[in-house]
Amino acid sequence: MKIGKITYKPKTKDITLIANLTAAAVALRIIKHTIVGPFQFINFPCAFSVIAGVMLGPFNGLITGILTFIVSDIFLGLGPWTFVTSTLSGIIGLTSGLIWKTKNLSKTEALILSYLLFLVYDVASSFLLYLPFMPPMKAFIIGIIGLFMPVMGGYLYAIGPITEFSTAMITSIIITKINGYKEEENNEN
């Protein structure tokens, strides 16, 4: 497949892993939604897009990020937010693949970088979803304030940092495990 000047030849193993990571993220999001409703405390699609980016590289992280939100929103409800969340999740997967491509990070570094990626996702998605209803600067400010205080119909305090931290914690644990398996595999060869 040729995308502009970039030629992408997916391996069967990569396609299988993308499908499995996407399915896991979709299943976990639906289970979470079934048990606690729309209450947000962990972002499985973003977590799995970062994991895919780390495991399989930037382009596969992009694909996984886009697919996780599109497929889960098919079950939970498609809307204009689907385009925003899936695109941003894909960008997060792409970015994580670029960051982790160069080196293995410690658990603390993975936690901090994951947290920052999820924070950027949260602020950007809030900004883009508020943008049709208010001027850009107000949308940006409301997007940031909404991480800490209830705005625009919200009812939870500090839900942004809680969601980002729990998602980053799970992601960093999985990433360091993956890096450990990669190192073991490289040592065996």
Side-chain angles (χ1 to χ4, degrees):
M1 169 188 330
K2 194 163 181 127
I3 303 169
K5 293 183 179 183
I6 300 170
T7 302
Y8 175 69
K9 294 181 181 178
K11 299 174 186 168
T12 305
K13 178 181 125 184
D14 290 348
I15 294 169
T16 305
L17 286 170
I18 289 168
N20 281 303
L21 290 169
T22 300
V26 169
L28 288 169
R29 185 173 182 219
I30 291 171
I31 290 168
K32 179 202 73 85
H33 201 77
T34 302
I35 294 171
V36 295
F39 173 70
Q40 184 70 11
F41 63 91
I42 191 164
N43 190 333
F44 287 115
C46 278
F48 279 87
S49 68
V50 169
I51 293 165
V54 172
M55 280 179 62
L56 307 171
F59 190 71
N60 294 326
L62 173 76
I63 294 170
T64 304
I66 291 169
L67 284 175
T68 54
F69 269 108
I70 289 174
V71 174
S72 60
D73 278 1
I74 288 171
F75 294 103
L76 298 174
L78 289 166
W81 55 85
T82 303
F83 176 75
V84 172
T85 56
S86 62
T87 302
L88 289 173
S89 183
I91 292 169
I92 294 297
L94 177 82
T95 306
S96 68
L98 294 171
I99 291 171
W100 273 278
K101 187 166 91 172
T102 55
K103 69 179 226 170
N104 288 339
L105 301 174
S106 70
K107 193 178 286 187
T108 305
E109 291 171 322
L111 176 69
I112 292 167
L113 279 171
S114 296
Y115 184 87
L116 292 173
L117 285 171
F118 300 137
L119 179 66
V120 167
Y121 166 85
D122 211 356
V123 171
S125 64
S126 295
F127 168 73
L128 291 171
L129 292 169
Y130 288 144
L131 198 54
F133 305 107
M134 58 190 72
M137 185 52 84
K138 187 174 181 182
F140 181 72
I141 291 168
I142 295 287
I144 290 175
I145 291 173
L147 296 174
F148 302 99
M149 296 173 36
V151 295
M152 302 295 287
Y155 57 91
L156 298 170
Y157 288 89
I159 196 63
I162 292 168
T163 300
E164 280 121 28
F165 182 76
S166 63
T167 307
M169 181 64 84
I170 296 290
T171 304
S172 66
I173 291 168
I174 294 172
I175 288 170
T176 51
K177 291 290 184 190
I178 290 167
N179 287 338
Y181 292 131
K182 282 183 181 178
E183 287 175 12
E184 286 177 20
E185 189 177 286
N186 290 338
N187 290 337
E188 289 175 4
N189 293 331

